[in-house]
């Protein structure tokens, strides 16, 4: 039952940000989810006899209850101040329930009545809230019970979001830091008298949930906060594993000193960069620097007073940070955090300039809603490598207890970084992270869980050789990426060689220690370069150019811009590029196309020459409104004008005779690239993004965004793959709404009642003919349906002689002209393609 309740809390917590305007409700639900999940596991352990008596049960549950008593009290106080009554009542009731339960564990006179009463308040309040929301949706927002309207604060939240990207889930991460610190801090303060397996649920629940906070922080485009929560999650896994370790070993675990020192350095570097946003946050990270140093200085690590004293300080600091940031999320008068101070100081510096702007988190290829996770990926490589720099006794493979560092840090978190890199279009980098993560997991579990044993064998060597072969492909691929990535993957090969030599009992003395240090230092350099280059403009830590250059994506001197189509600023950026003579890929109401501004002949020529055999593919003309042709209306046949007016905007391209009307669109020298000497295909797309872009730049010349002879592009990733850096930018909008192109209709003989279909695409023939019939009725013209396509087999046979004559035309343009002259049209793409 507890598990189902927990899943319900997670489902309604809004981790997908459907309730982003009620951040307090999200924080409350996630906090209660951690509480009841961990508490339920402890009760299961008690039922299975793992906990012996009331003393063990008290030692197990009190650290967590202390955390949630204070954490929920902070949520309740802020909720009352911000008039979020229902979350505040629930938080205060659960906080009092936790406090009464602690009191009952130390004094039986308190009993459980107070706990039950508090949870009864929670039940009544939650029921009231559920009924209110049910009535709200059932009455279509007409009935709203007091306190259940989640949309009333939406306007204020939107104002805050327009100014800066907020990471409201970071508050939950701070409460989870309080939870892990409470487990060890209560032991120092005498609240509990033992550290044992009963407290592992608190630590590992905090680690698992904080991993989720890490992922969602990447979703909130807060890469530094995500890296920090990834680090603290690793520490929680390590602390929980240390308590489990004592089940099969009498002695406390001892961690390698170099690992903890390096971890302190990583925290220190991250604190410096975090201080650029807020000095208060940088100061907070220094507590974890001190924590790692305290762990390195104490032989028993988590079990000694030095680290536990720092835990107490972390608990207090996390509580204060939770209060400050929870209050500042909605308050008009905020607690000072120093935000913007370092930015103002760096503004006077000509060397260090912060990297800012809308494209800061733009993906390499395609469209991604996540920030870059390379910083955490490199840091995990550093931790995994330095965790095995201590000589291991083959008879005691668990002596160094590095499963949290090798398997969790080097493996699980690196798989996470690989998946995020793949979402951002970094295929090679994601492949490397995923491969290395899988290696650390498999080798770590095998080597340090006792499966490796004291003997080495052929099977282990074969597995390592397989990893070496796969890494060979990665090394080859990095030749086309950068020098730093090449060295990074090459030094990992040295790690694999040391594993192979160890498997056959032929490893030289000190070789494994040397290569792990080398790989760790290379990973640390990559960690610094990723931090610096993502924070500051310029290449302060150069990663080097590709050793081998190829044409295509990444092979040119400039990288093709990728802009999300759902932002007005992105459309303006594309418009600026087109006005400057650029060629861009954009989404439409059908497939992706390549466009250029008609008043820029250089841009039209660039788009025209981007495709192979461009002379076989005349470009078409797109406008945003028929009013753009109003000055030349007298040059069009009235039937054709009304037909255009009735047919557009739509996925219907009309082929009309070329005439003086072209001069009214300002095409000038670019007109020779658009259409044929006899006709031009023109269209108004039924796509607001495209028409808005045309409003900004004027009429555009359009061609399909694919090389000649290949299928149409139906996703922005295909534009990158097929055209590479031959285009200046791509407006990214995911998959196309349609998988086929527009319907192309010949209107050169429309005054006589005849039309033809060059291609039947999105719009069927019957719909086009119906529009034509209505227009002709208006003009009292007899309707003659002489239109046919390749599907009309009988008509095609009747006109086969004329079609064959057209195919023998001297050039594609003459072939089109012959078709126009004989009033015969075909959809065979080898005959005519516009």
């Amino acid at each position: 039952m507890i598990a189902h309740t927990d899943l319900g809390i997670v489902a309604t917590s809004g981790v997908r940000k459907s309730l982003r305007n009620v951040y307090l409700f999200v924080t409350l639900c996630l906090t209660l989810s951690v509480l009841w999940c961990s508490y339920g596991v402890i009760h299961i352990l008690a039922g299975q006899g793992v906990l012996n008596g009331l003393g063990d049960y008290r030692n197990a549950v009190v650290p967590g209850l202390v955390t949630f008593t204070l954490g929920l009290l902070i949520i309740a106080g802020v909720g009352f101040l911000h008039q979020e009554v229902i979350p505040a009542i629930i938080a205060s009731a659960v906080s009092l329930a936790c406090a009464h339960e602690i009191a009952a564990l130390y004094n039986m006179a308190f009993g459980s009545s107070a706990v039950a009463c508090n949870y009864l308040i929670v039940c009544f309040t939650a029921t009231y809230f559920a009924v209110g929301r049910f009535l709200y949706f059932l009455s279509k927002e007409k009935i709203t019970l007091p306190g259940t309207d989640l949309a009333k604060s939406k306007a204020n939240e939107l104002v805050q979001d327009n100014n800066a990207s907020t990471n409201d889930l970071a508050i939950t991460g701070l409460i989870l830091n309080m939870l892990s610190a409470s487990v060890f801090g209560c032991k120092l303060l005498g609240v509990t008298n033992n550290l044992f397996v009963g407290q592992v649920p608190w630590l590992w629940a905090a680690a698992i949930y904080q991993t989720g906070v890490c992922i969602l922080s990447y979703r909130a485009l807060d890469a530094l906060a995500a890296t920090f929560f990834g680090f603290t999650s690793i520490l929680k896994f390590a602390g929980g594993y240390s308590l489990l370790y004592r089940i099969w070993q009498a002695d406390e675990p001892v961690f390698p000193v170099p690992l903890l020192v390096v971890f302190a350095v990583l925290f220190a570097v991250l604190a410096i960069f975090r201080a650029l946003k807020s000095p208060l946050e940088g100061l907070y990270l220094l507590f974890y620097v001190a924590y790692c140093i305290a762990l390195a200085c104490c032989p028993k690590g988590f079990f000694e007073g030095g680290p536990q004293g720092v835990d107490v300080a972390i608990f207090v600091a996390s509580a204060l940070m939770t209060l400050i940031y929870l209050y500042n999320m909605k308050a008009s008068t905020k607690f000072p955090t120093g935000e913007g101070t370092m930015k103002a100081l760096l503004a006077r510096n000509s060397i260090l300039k912060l990297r800012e702007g809308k494209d800061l988190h733009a993906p390499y290829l395609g469209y991604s809603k996540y920030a870059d996770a390379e910083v955490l990926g490199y840091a995990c490589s550093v931790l995994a490598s330095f965790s095995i720099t201590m000589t291991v006794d083959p008879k005691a493979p668990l002596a160094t207890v590095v499963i949290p560092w090798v398997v969790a840090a080097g493996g699980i978190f690196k798989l996470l970084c690989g998946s995020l890199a793949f979402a951002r279009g970094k295929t090679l980098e994601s492949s490397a992270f995923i491969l290395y993560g899988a290696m650390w997991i498999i080798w770590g579990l095998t080597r340090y869980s006792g499966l490796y044993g004291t003997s080495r064998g052929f099977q282990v060597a074969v597995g390592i050789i397989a990893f070496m072969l796969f890494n060979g492909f990665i090394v080859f691929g990095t030749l086309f990426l950068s020098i730093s990535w090449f060295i990074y993957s090459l030094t990992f090969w040295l790690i694999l060689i040391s594993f192979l030599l160890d498997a056959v009992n032929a490893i030289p003395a000190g070789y494994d220690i040397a290569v792990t240090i080398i790989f760790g230092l290379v990973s640390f350099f990559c960690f610094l370069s990723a931090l610096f280059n993502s924070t500051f403009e310029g290449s302060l830590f150069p990663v080097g150019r590709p050793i081998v250059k190829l044409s295509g994506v990444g092979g040119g001197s400039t990288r093709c811009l990728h802009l999300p189509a759902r932002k007005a600023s992105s459309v303006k950026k594309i418009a600026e590029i087109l006005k400057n003579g650029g060629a861009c890929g954009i989404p439409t109401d059908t497939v992706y196309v390549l466009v250029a501004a008609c008043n820029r002949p250089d841009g039209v020529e660039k788009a025209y020459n981007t495709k192979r055999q461009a002379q076989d593919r005349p470009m078409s003309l797109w406008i945003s409104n028929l009013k753009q042709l109003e000055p030349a209306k007298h040059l069009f046949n009235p039937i054709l004008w009304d037909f255009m007016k009735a047919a557009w905007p739509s996925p219907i391209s009309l082929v009309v005779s070329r005439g003086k009307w072209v001069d009214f669109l300002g095409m000038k020298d670019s007109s020779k690239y658009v259409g044929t000497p006899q006709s031009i295909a023109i269209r108004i797309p039924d796509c607001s993004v495209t028409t808005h872009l045309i409003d900004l730049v004027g009429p555009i010349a359009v061609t399909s965004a694919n090389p000649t002879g290949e299928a149409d592009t139906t996703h922005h990733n295909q534009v990158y793959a097929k055209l590479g850096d031959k285009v200046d930018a791509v407006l990214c909008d995911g998959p196309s709404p349609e998988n086929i192109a527009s319907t192309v209709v010949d209107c050169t003989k429309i005054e006589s009642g005849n039309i033809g279909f060059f291609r039947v695409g999105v719009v069927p023939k019957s719909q086009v003919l119906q529009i034509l019939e209505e227009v002709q009725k208006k003009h009292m013209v007899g309707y003659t349906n002489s239109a046919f396509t390749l599907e009309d087999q009988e008509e095609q046979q009747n006109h086969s002689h004329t079609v064959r004559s057209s195919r023998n035309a001297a050039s594609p343009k003459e072939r089109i002209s012959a078709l126009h002259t004989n009033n015969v049209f075909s959809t065979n793409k080898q005959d005519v393609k516009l």
Side-chain angles (χ1 to χ4, degrees):
M1 183 178 69
I2 293 174
H4 289 295
T5 303
D6 173 61
L7 290 176
I9 289 295
V10 173
T12 59
S13 63
V15 294
R16 296 178 65 182
K17 290 189 177 293
S18 60
L19 298 175
R20 188 171 182 181
N21 57 307
V22 281
Y23 69 97
L24 195 67
F25 184 75
V26 174
T27 304
L28 173 63
C29 288
L30 286 175
T31 304
L32 293 179
S33 181
V34 180
L35 167 62
W36 289 335
C37 178
S38 308
Y39 201 27
V41 174
I42 292 175
H43 277 277
I44 293 174
L45 295 179
Q48 295 297 318
V50 177
L51 306 181
N52 299 321
L54 181 61
D56 279 358
Y57 179 78
R58 181 170 57 242
N59 289 331
V61 301
V62 166
L65 294 178
V66 168
T67 297
F68 290 108
T69 298
L70 179 58
L72 292 170
L73 186 62
I74 294 173
I75 294 175
V78 174
F80 284 121
L81 287 174
H82 290 165
Q83 298 181 355
E84 297 285 345
V85 180
I86 292 200
I89 292 175
I90 294 176
S92 59
V94 178
S95 176
L96 290 174
C98 293
H100 283 116
E101 191 161 356
I102 294 173
L105 290 173
Y106 285 96
N107 190 344
M108 300 300 294
F110 282 92
S112 58
S113 301
V115 177
C117 290
N118 286 308
Y119 279 117
L120 193 61
I121 295 174
V122 173
C123 292
F124 283 134
T125 307
T127 302
Y128 171 80
F129 180 78
V131 171
R133 297 304 297 167
F134 180 74
L135 291 175
Y136 181 79
F137 289 110
L138 194 64
S139 64
K140 296 182 179 179
E141 304 181 6
K142 294 180 180 179
I143 300 176
T144 303
L145 297 181
T148 62
D149 187 6
L150 301 180
K152 64 181 181 180
S153 60
K154 192 172 184 178
N156 294 333
E157 185 70 20
L158 290 176
V159 171
Q160 293 180 3
D161 288 347
N162 289 334
N163 295 331
S165 177
T166 57
N167 183 11
D168 49 353
L169 291 169
I171 299 172
T172 304
L174 294 173
I175 295 176
L176 296 175
N177 287 341
M178 293 171 56
L179 179 58
S180 60
S182 177
V183 171
F184 298 105
C186 285
K187 173 63 171 60
L188 179 69
L189 298 176
V191 179
T192 59
N193 52 29
N194 190 19
L195 291 173
F196 68 119
V197 67
Q199 295 148 348
V200 172
W202 298 119
L203 293 171
W204 279 10
I208 293 171
Y209 275 78
Q210 202 160 52
T211 303
V213 172
C214 171
I215 298 172
L216 292 170
S217 295
Y218 281 118
R219 181 67 178 266
L221 303 181
D222 194 350
L224 292 180
T227 305
F228 167 66
F229 289 127
F231 284 178
T232 54
S233 181
I234 293 170
L235 277 175
K236 293 173 178 60
F237 277 118
Y241 186 79
S242 298
L243 302 186
L244 283 178
Y245 178 79
R246 300 179 68 184
I247 296 177
W248 57 81
Q249 293 287 340
D251 298 331
E252 287 83 2
V254 178
F255 293 106
V257 173
L259 164 69
L260 296 171
V261 172
V262 168
F263 208 3
V265 174
L266 293 177
F267 266 116
V269 174
L270 190 64
I272 295 173
F273 282 86
R274 196 64 180 160
L276 295 177
K277 178 182 179 182
S278 170
L280 183 64
E281 295 181 10
L283 181 63
Y284 176 66
L285 264 67
L286 292 181
F287 284 95
Y288 281 91
V289 177
Y291 189 53
C292 292
I293 294 175
L295 289 173
C297 294
C298 298
K300 295 182 179 180
F302 292 101
F303 296 90
E304 291 200 351
Q308 292 171 10
V310 183
D311 274 310
V312 175
I314 290 175
F315 182 89
V316 176
S318 299
L320 291 175
M321 291 286 291
T322 301
L323 175 61
I324 292 172
Y325 281 92
L326 195 60
Y327 179 82
N328 286 352
M329 287 292 291
K330 199 174 180 181
S332 56
T333 304
K334 305 179 184 297
F335 286 109
T337 61
E339 188 170 355
T341 304
M342 297 301 298
K343 180 180 178 180
L345 292 176
L346 290 176
R348 306 174 184 178
N349 194 320
S350 59
I351 300 176
L352 297 177
K353 293 185 178 180
L354 290 176
R355 186 184 297 273
E356 296 178 319
K358 302 179 180 66
D359 302 329
L360 178 62
H361 299 285
Y364 180 64
L365 288 177
Y367 179 73
S368 174
K369 296 180 179 179
Y370 295 90
D372 201 340
E374 281 195 1
V375 174
L376 181 58
Y378 292 130
C380 290
S381 294
V382 175
L383 294 175
S385 59
F386 278 99
S387 65
I388 55 176
T389 54
M390 178 180 291
T391 304
V392 179
D393 184 3
K395 297 181 180 180
L398 283 171
T400 56
V401 194
V402 296
I403 283 184
W405 312 108
V406 175
V407 176
I412 297 174
F413 279 88
K414 193 171 283 293
L415 290 178
L416 166 65
C417 298
S419 64
L420 293 179
F422 184 80
R424 293 178 56 77
K426 295 186 174 183
T427 308
L428 181 60
E429 295 93 324
S430 67
S431 301
F433 281 143
I434 292 173
L435 176 67
Y436 298 167
M439 195 286 304
W440 286 120
I441 291 175
I442 296 173
W443 182 82
L445 291 176
T446 304
R447 180 68 181 85
Y448 289 98
S449 66
L451 300 176
Y452 204 75
T454 58
S455 61
R456 309 296 189 262
F458 174 74
Q459 294 84 352
V460 176
V462 170
I464 296 173
I465 291 174
F467 273 108
M468 293 178 67
L469 292 176
F470 282 116
N471 191 57
F473 291 105
I474 298 296
V475 173
F476 177 76
T478 54
L479 291 172
F480 311 97
L481 189 58
S482 65
I483 295 176
S484 63
W485 258 101
F486 175 74
I487 297 175
Y488 176 70
S489 58
L490 191 64
T491 50
F492 188 77
W493 222 344
L494 300 178
I495 296 281
L496 294 175
I497 292 174
S498 70
F499 293 163
L500 178 62
L501 295 176
D502 183 42
V504 297
N505 280 317
I507 187 169
Y511 174 80
D512 53 345
I513 305 299
V515 296
T516 52
I517 293 176
I518 293 173
F519 179 70
L521 293 176
V522 171
S523 301
F524 184 71
F525 174 83
C526 294
F527 167 78
L528 289 178
S529 64
L531 266 178
F532 271 92
N533 295 335
S534 63
T535 305
F536 300 105
E537 295 181 358
S539 298
L540 299 178
F541 274 75
V543 296
R545 295 184 176 181
I547 299 176
V548 179
K549 290 186 178 181
L550 291 179
S551 62
V553 177
S557 58
T558 60
R559 180 177 294 180
C560 176
L561 292 177
H562 31 266
L563 304 168
R566 300 177 186 179
K567 293 184 178 181
S569 58
S570 300
V571 179
K572 291 182 179 179
K573 182 66 176 179
I574 293 291
E576 292 175 1
I577 296 174
L578 294 178
K579 290 178 181 178
N580 293 326
C584 302
I586 65 170
T588 68
D589 49 349
T590 54
V591 296
Y592 277 79
V593 295
L594 185 63
V595 303
C598 286
N599 57 6
R600 289 301 302 255
D602 52 343
V604 177
E605 183 179 6
K606 180 179 181 180
Y608 182 79
N609 294 329
T610 296
K611 303 175 61 170
R612 298 190 300 267
Q613 301 175 353
Q615 64 273 13
D616 291 340
R617 300 295 185 270
M619 302 180 74
S620 60
L621 174 68
W622 285 13
I623 58 178
S624 61
N625 196 295
L626 201 58
K627 292 181 179 180
Q628 291 177 319
L629 293 177
E630 283 282 357
K633 182 179 179 180
H634 62 283
L635 299 175
F636 288 92
N637 182 277
I639 299 178
L640 175 59
W641 184 266
D642 287 343
F643 186 48
M644 290 189 296
K645 187 176 181 180
W648 291 335
S650 68
I652 300 176
S653 297
L654 302 182
V655 179
V656 300
S657 300
R658 181 185 287 269
K660 294 183 178 180
W661 61 269
V662 176
D663 299 333
F664 287 86
L665 297 177
M667 295 179 63
K668 300 180 182 178
D669 293 339
S670 61
S671 61
K672 62 183 178 181
Y673 300 106
V674 181
T676 68
Q678 293 79 27
S679 62
I680 294 178
I682 186 171
R683 179 157 86 92
I684 298 178
D686 189 12
C687 179
S688 58
V689 172
T690 310
T691 54
H692 179 51
L693 179 64
I694 300 174
D695 285 335
L696 295 176
V697 301
I700 57 175
V702 181
T703 185
S704 57
N706 57 277
T708 303
E710 296 187 10
D712 292 323
T713 51
T714 58
H715 196 280
H716 56 252
N717 281 342
Q718 296 178 5
V719 181
Y720 288 109
K722 292 181 179 181
L723 299 181
D725 58 355
K726 296 178 181 179
V727 295
D728 297 293
V730 175
L731 199 59
C732 304
D733 196 33
S736 300
E738 302 288 347
N739 293 326
I740 52 178
S742 62
T743 297
V744 183
V745 182
D746 185 277
C747 296
T748 55
K749 303 296 181 180
I750 195 173
E751 66 274 5
S752 61
N754 297 327
I755 63 170
F757 290 83
F758 283 115
R759 177 179 63 215
V760 177
V762 178
V763 181
K765 292 187 300 177
S766 59
Q767 182 177 341
V768 178
L769 296 176
Q770 183 179 0
I771 297 173
L772 175 62
E773 185 176 4
E774 293 176 355
V775 171
Q776 289 182 324
K777 286 181 179 179
K778 176 182 177 182
H779 290 268
M780 302 180 65
V781 176
Y783 174 68
T784 303
N785 181 7
S786 63
F788 71 93
T789 65
L790 188 63
E791 294 96 306
D792 302 324
Q793 297 294 335
E794 294 182 359
E795 282 192 299
Q796 185 191 14
Q797 293 176 1
N798 294 335
H799 297 276
S800 60
H801 176 73
T802 308
V803 173
R804 284 194 298 270
S805 299
S806 300
R807 289 179 180 175
N808 293 328
S811 68
K813 295 181 179 179
E814 293 176 358
R815 199 179 307 150
I816 297 174
S817 176
L819 290 175
H820 288 175
T821 303
N822 292 282
N823 196 26
V824 178
F825 311 100
S826 171
T827 56
N828 191 330
K829 291 187 178 181
Q830 294 180 355
D831 294 333
V832 179
K833 292 184 178 179
L834 293 181

